[in-house]
Amino acid sequence: MATIEDVAKAANVSMSTVSYVLSGKRTISADTRLRVEQAIRKLGYRPHAGARALAMSKTHIIGLVAPLRAGVDVNVILQFVAGIATRARERDHDVLLLTQDDADSIARAAQTSMVDALVVMDVESDDPRLETLESVRQPVVLIGLPHDPRGLSCIDLDFEKVGQRAAEHLIEGGHRRIALIGAPEEVRKRHTSYADRMLHGLSTACRAADAEWTYQPTPSSGSGAAASVDAVLKRMPEVTALMVHNEVALPHVISHLQTLGLRVPEDISLIALAPGSVIDALARPVTGIDLPAERIGRLAVDTVLGDDDAEVRLLQPVLTDRGTTRHLT
Amino acid sequence: MATIEDVAKAANVSMSTVSYVLSGKRTISADTRLRVEQAIRKLGYRPHAGARALAMSKTHIIGLVAPLRAGVDVNVILQFVAGIATRARERDHDVLLLTQDDADSIARAAQTSMVDALVVMDVESDDPRLETLESVRQPVVLIGLPHDPRGLSCIDLDFEKVGQRAAEHLIEGGHRRIALIGAPEEVRKRHTSYADRMLHGLSTACRAADAEWTYQPTPSSGSGAAASVDAVLKRMPEVTALMVHNEVALPHVISHLQTLGLRVPEDISLIALAPGSVIDALARPVTGIDLPAERIGRLAVDTVLGDDDAEVRLLQPVLTDRGTTRHLT
DNA sequence: CTGAAAGCGCTTACAG
DNA sequence: CTGAAAGCGCTTACAG
């Protein structure tokens, strides 16, 4: 590999001049610039990332903490990742993937100065990684909202409002018995922040309107989805509306309702929370709230790279009516 | 951040001694070692990754080239990634995620010495990235098998044998009309290597036995899966066996067959290629060939980090009979 | 407009 | 068993 010294020699200038041609941090005569640029091209020179990081104390690498846990929705995860990776490159950064589920691996990446910033996914209400994250020199952004963010930046969909908005929409339509078909049980068990918040929003709105609600964790499989629907119907026979917050289960819920002879929305209303792409891919789109995962990923990068110093930023849910909720007379 | 110099001062030794205590590359008196270790702990010292990379010409980072393309199976992708990331950490390496779909971004990561090695996913039969990969100083392993690997290491399931094995299993059972429910159309269109190879194996085996076969690309959605089954039944009404190579479509294919009143295996035989976890999650497991994505990911890391210098390594398919293929009398 | 040199934080031959 | 110093490949004050 050619070094900056090789280029300097080939162009008959000093190393500093080559460096400044590259960085544009001082004015260079047209003639010199040309010679340097030619030498760079001829030698196929690229600055050594490690050397540059050492000299500048900047790695141009963002650490992405993405534990691959049971029950997570891979589709949604990958949308977050896509948003983060794309935006990072647009801003001349790379992404270091940290999949280990412990605070130590975060500490390691941060303390060895491998990364300039950290984006953390799959945040729990009382996340054990927070202490480490707080102690780290680099800026951090959480995708999610713990009970106590401890001054860390957070960005997420406002899941509390999602639950609330969905419930209100149904309640306004006269519904009094609502079931939430949620994420797989593991997700709730570890108090993944969005599951907690969503349920809280929904239950609060229901209580305020004196409506009944029930919560049904649901495995991400066809049979699990069907079983969940059955369980709900058994527990709450008079249920008139289903809110589905489980992207994988969603199509299976729909087909199982069909199998049971329950028409949507005549017999039962349906409202979903899922990425727009998932809703669009359904044979028949459903009324729902978009989960803008890719956009959140992009915003996370912007936040952590500093031009957004928003402490806690919660995107407001937008409900799109596609006719799968019925107005009960 | 404390530096090695800080540690040296605190322990009253030279920098080199600290370095050697850390690396274990020379013998240190028990006394000295103790003082150094205490100083390290007290200062919370961690060697600066960039400085180390510069001095050793080793970053301990593996570049993972994983373009997030349309039609890819996110579940399978994430299993590869999990295998790669886990194995990398076991071997004291980190993973840099390169999602951009062009040769330039590979060249950049390699030429700036950001990575020690490259693992490349989603390889096409005639992959345009091969030229760049060939020119790179770092070792490379492809997950997939292009027509001409140009001396690069390759590791993958032997998809040709998968197609062949599945076809033979069915042909031995007396089947003469076989349909392959494949990946989404985009995957085949860009000649993703596994799709090409699978189809080739299947068609060759069918031709050899004078059996009919048809290929049906299939979108990864419920309605797409159903439409594909319908299309196959229309084109080949006498079809007696379906081979499904589309993890997302698989459950929908099964439920659509049920809707159509076709019993498995009495009316139609079913064989799948999917990760074991996906097959296990089905309400009723199907006869199939396991796609050991996580294992391949791990092997890719071992290969590229050097103890496996296997040029081309194709894992042999194992067919597990779970009773969803019928022996036609 | 350009160059010589210090410094970023490590590792590792070279000496003793 | 240990230390002083060169070197890895950059950037950026300092000088001119």
Side-chain angles (χ1 to χ4, degrees):
Chain A
M1 289 281 93
T3 70
I4 196 170
E5 179 124 42
D6 300 329
V7 176
K9 276 180 188 150
N12 246 303
V13 296
S14 68
M15 278 169 45
S16 34
T17 297
V18 177
S19 179
Y20 283 118
V21 166
L22 250 21
S23 70
K25 287 187 184 172
R26 77 180 180 193
T27 39
I28 309 275
S29 71
D31 174 52
T32 307
R33 151 165 296 119
L34 194 69
R35 290 208 317 283
V36 171
E37 280 167 350
Q38 283 176 340
I40 288 176
R41 219 158 305 142
K42 200 180 77 190
L43 298 175
Y45 169 71
R46 299 252 202 182
H48 185 286
R52 180 174 258 184
L54 183 56
M56 304 185 74
S57 307
K58 277 267 163 273
T59 60
H60 281 244
I61 295 179
I62 295 174
L64 172 56
V65 182
L68 272 24
R69 291 171 176 156
V72 296
D73 191 318
V74 293
N75 228 301
V76 175
I77 298 245
L78 235 51
Q79 287 198 29
F80 278 122
V81 173
I84 292 163
T86 306
R87 188 63 182 143
R89 279 313 304 153
E90 286 172 9
R91 305 197 51 164
D92 196 27
H93 283 253
D94 277 289
V95 170
L96 192 77
L97 187 64
L98 302 165
T99 59
Q100 296 200 111
D101 190 2
D102 59 1
D104 277 357
S105 74
I106 297 175
R108 185 183 55 84
Q111 288 166 5
T112 61
S113 300
M114 296 190 86
V115 300
D116 289 343
L118 287 164
V119 175
V120 182
M121 293 180 51
D122 207 355
V123 172
E124 298 169 13
S125 291
D126 193 7
D127 202 296
R129 300 168 298 182
L130 290 181
E131 194 177 331
T132 298
L133 289 167
E134 213 181 353
S135 76
V136 135
R137 173 174 35 96
Q138 290 92 336
V140 172
V141 64
L142 310 178
I143 296 185
L145 180 66
H147 282 143
D148 175 7
R150 310 199 196 186
L152 298 169
S153 291
C154 301
I155 180 159
D156 204 356
L157 180 60
D158 191 336
F159 281 91
E160 171 122 26
K161 288 262 179 64
V162 169
Q164 186 188 322
R165 184 84 186 73
E168 287 172 357
H169 175 80
L170 294 169
I171 290 164
E172 282 164 17
H175 295 268
R176 312 296 304 161
R177 288 187 185 78
I178 299 172
L180 173 58
I181 305 279
E185 201 165 11
E186 308 92 297
V187 172
R188 185 76 217 299
K189 273 218 180 104
R190 54 174 190 264
H191 292 284
T192 305
S193 94
Y194 65 77
D196 276 12
R197 287 148 53 210
M198 165 88 144
L199 189 52
H200 187 256
L202 183 91
S203 59
T204 304
C206 285
R207 246 190 310 271
D210 217 29
E212 282 180 53
W213 59 276
T214 184
Y215 169 70
Q216 180 64 47
T218 299
S220 293
S221 67
S223 51
S228 269
V229 171
D230 292 342
V232 163
L233 290 175
K234 185 163 177 196
R235 194 160 69 239
M236 189 184 262
E238 312 281 274
V239 63
T240 59
L242 256 37
M243 156 121 206
V244 182
H245 178 198
N246 182 317
E247 187 216 285
V248 179
L250 180 56
H252 298 109
V253 167
I254 294 173
S255 73
H256 188 60
L257 289 176
Q258 201 175 347
T259 306
L260 295 177
L262 291 171
R263 295 159 306 165
V264 174
E266 290 80 359
D267 301 316
I268 195 155
S269 289
L270 198 58
I271 184 167
L273 171 62
S277 58
V278 169
I279 293 184
D280 291 341
L282 294 172
R284 171 187 170 195
V286 300
T287 294
I289 292 169
D290 180 36
L291 173 51
E294 186 157 351
R295 180 163 160 241
I296 291 172
R298 301 177 70 91
L299 286 171
V301 169
D302 286 336
T303 303
V304 86
L305 290 188
D307 34 44
D308 258 5
D309 49 17
E311 293 292 87
V312 171
R313 179 154 173 195
L314 297 178
L315 305 189
Q316 293 310 297
V318 177
L319 192 151
T320 304
D321 194 329
R322 297 190 185 85
T324 58
T325 56
R326 177 163 165 242
H327 205 102
L328 305 178
T329 40
Chain B
M1 290 280 95
T3 70
I4 196 170
E5 179 123 42
D6 299 330
V7 176
K9 275 180 188 149
N12 245 302
V13 296
S14 68
M15 277 169 44
S16 33
T17 297
V18 178
S19 179
Y20 284 117
V21 166
L22 250 22
S23 70
K25 287 188 184 171
R26 79 181 180 193
T27 40
I28 309 275
S29 73
D31 175 52
T32 307
R33 152 165 296 119
L34 194 70
R35 290 209 317 284
V36 171
E37 280 167 351
Q38 282 175 340
I40 288 175
R41 219 157 307 141
K42 200 179 77 189
L43 298 176
Y45 169 70
R46 299 253 201 181
H48 186 285
R52 180 173 256 181
L54 182 57
M56 305 184 74
S57 307
K58 277 267 164 270
T59 60
H60 281 245
I61 295 179
I62 295 174
L64 172 56
V65 182
L68 274 24
R69 290 172 177 155
V72 297
D73 191 319
V74 293
N75 229 301
V76 175
I77 298 246
L78 233 52
Q79 286 199 31
F80 279 122
V81 172
I84 292 163
T86 306
R87 188 63 183 142
R89 278 315 302 154
E90 286 172 10
R91 304 197 51 163
D92 197 27
H93 283 253
D94 277 289
V95 170
L96 192 77
L97 187 65
L98 302 166
T99 58
Q100 295 200 113
D101 189 2
D102 59 2
D104 277 356
S105 74
I106 297 175
R108 185 183 55 84
Q111 288 166 4
T112 61
S113 299
M114 296 191 85
V115 299
D116 289 343
L118 287 164
V119 175
V120 182
M121 293 180 52
D122 208 355
V123 173
E124 298 170 12
S125 291
D126 191 8
D127 201 297
R129 300 167 298 182
L130 290 180
E131 193 176 330
T132 298
L133 289 168
E134 212 182 352
S135 76
V136 135
R137 172 174 36 97
Q138 291 92 335
V140 171
V141 63
L142 309 178
I143 296 185
L145 179 65
H147 283 143
D148 175 7
R150 312 200 198 185
L152 297 170
S153 290
C154 301
I155 179 158
D156 205 356
L157 180 60
D158 191 336
F159 280 91
E160 171 120 27
K161 288 260 179 65
V162 169
Q164 185 188 322
R165 184 84 187 71
E168 286 172 358
H169 174 81
L170 294 170
I171 290 166
E172 281 164 18
H175 295 270
R176 313 296 304 161
R177 288 190 183 76
I178 300 172
L180 173 58
I181 305 278
E185 199 164 14
E186 308 91 296
V187 172
R188 185 75 217 301
K189 273 218 181 108
R190 52 174 191 263
H191 292 283
T192 305
S193 96
Y194 64 77
D196 276 12
R197 287 147 55 208
M198 166 88 145
L199 189 52
H200 186 256
L202 183 92
S203 59
T204 304
C206 285
R207 247 191 308 274
D210 217 30
E212 283 179 52
W213 60 276
T214 184
Y215 169 71
Q216 179 64 46
T218 300
S220 294
S221 68
S223 51
S228 270
V229 171
D230 292 342
V232 163
L233 291 175
K234 183 162 179 198
R235 193 159 68 238
M236 188 183 264
E238 311 282 274
V239 63
T240 60
L242 255 37
M243 158 123 204
V244 182
H245 179 199
N246 182 318
E247 188 215 286
V248 179
L250 179 56
H252 297 110
V253 167
I254 294 173
S255 74
H256 189 60
L257 289 175
Q258 201 174 347
T259 306
L260 295 176
L262 291 171
R263 293 160 307 165
V264 174
E266 291 80 0
D267 301 317
I268 194 154
S269 289
L270 199 59
I271 186 167
L273 170 62
S277 58
V278 169
I279 293 184
D280 291 342
L282 293 172
R284 171 189 172 193
V286 300
T287 293
I289 292 169
D290 180 35
L291 173 51
E294 185 157 352
R295 181 164 159 239
I296 292 173
R298 301 177 71 91
L299 287 171
V301 170
D302 286 335
T303 302
V304 86
L305 291 188
D307 35 44
D308 259 5
D309 48 18
E311 293 292 85
V312 171
R313 179 154 172 196
L314 297 178
L315 305 189
Q316 293 310 296
V318 177
L319 191 149
T320 304
D321 194 328
R322 298 190 183 86
T324 58
T325 55
R326 178 166 165 236
H327 205 102
L328 304 179
T329 41

